[in-house]
Amino acid sequence: MRLSIVIVNYNAGDLLEACLASIEQRLGEGSSAIEYETIVVDNASSDGSERAARIRKNVLLVSSQTNAGFAAGCNLGAEVSKGRFILFLNPDTKILSEGMERLIDRFESGKNEGALGCQNLLPDGTVQSTAYTYPNLVTMFFFVFRMGELAKRPAVKKIFSFFLGNIFGQFSQHDKRTAVDWVTGAFLMIKREAWMKTGAFDERFFLFCEEIDLCRRVKNAGYEVIFDPSYEIEHFVGFSSRKVKPFVLKEKFKSYLAYFEKHHSTFDNVMLKLMFFFGIRFWIIIFKIAGNAESASAYRELRDGLDI
């Protein structure tokens, strides 16, 4: 078996069906066919979306009794996988490109390459930033004070790109195959030899930062993490709603705290907690003044749910 595709599903609705259909279309019979298996780990979905996997004879459905998180679901799927390459793929994606075999051939020929990400496109066709440098206090400042949203304005982005263009991410062009620090988990392929040497996803990360931690350990093990824009997927995350979701917001902040605790100095951890402490309270005030009761409430929940 050359490729194992592991999809962790939690109430993905019709998106899982579209994802599985795209796999069959792009990797099935014909010139682009490849020996592969698809494993869907369902994290106790309540919307019936797992049925899309159950009705397919060529898909292995692994049902979890609880939602233990994305990292735990990935690990569960990897445990039963057989491929020499493991692809962790989000259920809210569709594979657009032909030529998975060629993508893997290039990846396999790079002896020092251990993990791989591809080009993610939003439903409107724009490129979604998917490859980055490691988080640091500067990027955390951008995150806490939501400057990424400001930077989407063309004039502002142009200024930021001039000063921060060397930071691979939203300020860099996703137009060439290159080594990066980490790639997002929507499409994350890893060689089994690197997976065995690096170890599984750290299950302390419930929903965010698990791929950053894994890519960091891949690089620490002597491999490169590669971004390859020649292969494309469509990614639906966050496209239809810009609402602040309390649970997702809290999990993201918790994951960054856990990541810094694991990989950063005591000084960085103290500074991050101070940044979170003041940043959260800043947004509570701003949203209250703006009359955005829903977002203000979400940040109050975040304030009360974090131990800082």
Side-chain angles (χ1 to χ4, degrees):
M1 184 72 63
R2 195 170 197 203
L3 176 65
S4 295
I5 303 173
V6 176
I7 302 170
V8 178
N9 178 65
Y10 179 68
N11 293 336
D14 294 337
L15 292 175
L16 177 62
E17 166 64 34
C19 178
L20 294 175
S22 74
I23 292 173
E24 292 178 355
Q25 179 183 2
R26 301 300 183 185
L27 277 69
E29 297 179 359
S31 60
S32 60
I34 182 175
E35 184 186 16
Y36 75 97
E37 63 178 354
T38 303
I39 301 164
V40 174
V41 179
D42 186 69
N43 269 350
S45 293
S46 58
D47 67 345
S49 56
E50 75 281 0
R51 184 177 180 275
R54 183 175 288 113
I55 64 176
R56 283 178 162 80
K57 294 181 180 180
N58 60 339
V59 174
L60 173 62
L61 176 63
V62 179
S63 297
S64 175
Q65 298 304 309
T66 60
N67 180 12
F70 179 76
C74 286
N75 290 342
L76 193 58
E79 286 177 7
V80 299
S81 68
K82 302 173 183 176
R84 300 197 308 277
F85 299 84
I86 307 172
L87 170 59
F88 299 102
L89 185 68
N90 272 17
D92 58 355
T93 64
K94 289 197 303 184
I95 294 179
L96 300 178
S97 295
E98 305 282 355
M100 176 66 79
E101 189 83 30
R102 294 191 299 273
L103 178 72
I104 294 178
D105 285 344
R106 285 194 300 273
F107 186 33
E108 187 173 30
S109 65
K111 300 303 180 182
N112 292 328
E113 297 177 8
L116 176 80
C118 76
Q119 188 81 285
N120 289 14
L121 302 177
L122 295 173
D124 65 356
T126 58
V127 172
Q128 179 192 23
S129 300
T130 52
Y132 298 89
T133 54
Y134 295 131
N136 54 45
L137 291 176
V138 174
T139 58
M140 286 296 95
F141 182 85
F142 271 73
F143 163 67
V144 172
F145 291 99
R146 302 164 67 97
M147 296 183 70
E149 297 179 15
L150 176 65
K152 291 177 182 178
R153 299 177 182 178
V156 178
K157 184 174 182 178
K158 186 175 182 180
I159 295 173
F160 281 156
S161 297
F162 179 80
F163 292 102
L164 302 173
N166 62 326
I167 299 179
F168 204 92
Q170 71 183 91
F171 301 118
S172 296
Q173 296 297 318
H174 282 50
D175 59 357
K176 62 181 179 180
R177 194 177 194 274
T178 185
V180 297
D181 281 346
W182 66 278
V183 292
T184 57
F187 181 110
L188 173 57
M189 186 182 295
I190 186 168
K191 294 177 179 176
R192 184 168 294 275
E193 63 183 70
W195 176 260
M196 297 301 293
K197 187 174 180 179
T198 301
F201 282 105
D202 187 335
E203 296 183 11
R204 286 178 292 180
F205 301 102
F206 184 84
L207 192 58
F208 296 99
C209 294
E210 66 286 318
E211 74 269 62
I212 312 177
D213 173 71
L214 180 68
C215 287
R216 189 158 194 154
R217 288 186 284 123
V218 165
K219 292 190 71 172
N220 289 344
Y223 297 97
E224 288 183 326
V225 176
I226 300 297
F227 168 72
D228 190 336
S230 69
Y231 200 82
E232 296 181 342
I233 63 170
E234 189 172 48
H235 193 195
F236 289 87
V237 64
F239 189 78
S240 60
S241 175
R242 297 179 182 273
K243 292 183 179 179
V244 178
K245 300 176 182 178
F247 173 77
V248 174
L249 189 67
K250 184 171 70 173
E251 288 302 323
K252 182 170 284 192
F253 274 76
K254 285 172 59 178
S255 292
Y256 277 126
L257 286 170
Y259 175 83
F260 267 67
E261 182 179 354
K262 183 174 182 178
H263 294 291
H264 284 252
S265 67
T266 300
F267 174 80
D268 281 359
N269 275 274
V270 171
M271 294 303 295
L272 181 68
K273 289 180 179 179
L274 285 172
M275 196 184 303
F276 280 9
F277 181 89
F278 290 108
I280 292 168
R281 286 153 179 81
F282 168 81
W283 285 114
I284 291 174
I285 295 171
I286 293 298
F287 285 129
K288 186 175 181 180
I289 293 173
N292 188 338
E294 184 178 9
S295 294
S297 176
Y299 271 84
R300 282 194 297 269
E301 287 188 39
L302 176 61
R303 177 198 62 195
D304 297 338
L306 290 184
D307 185 21
I308 54 173

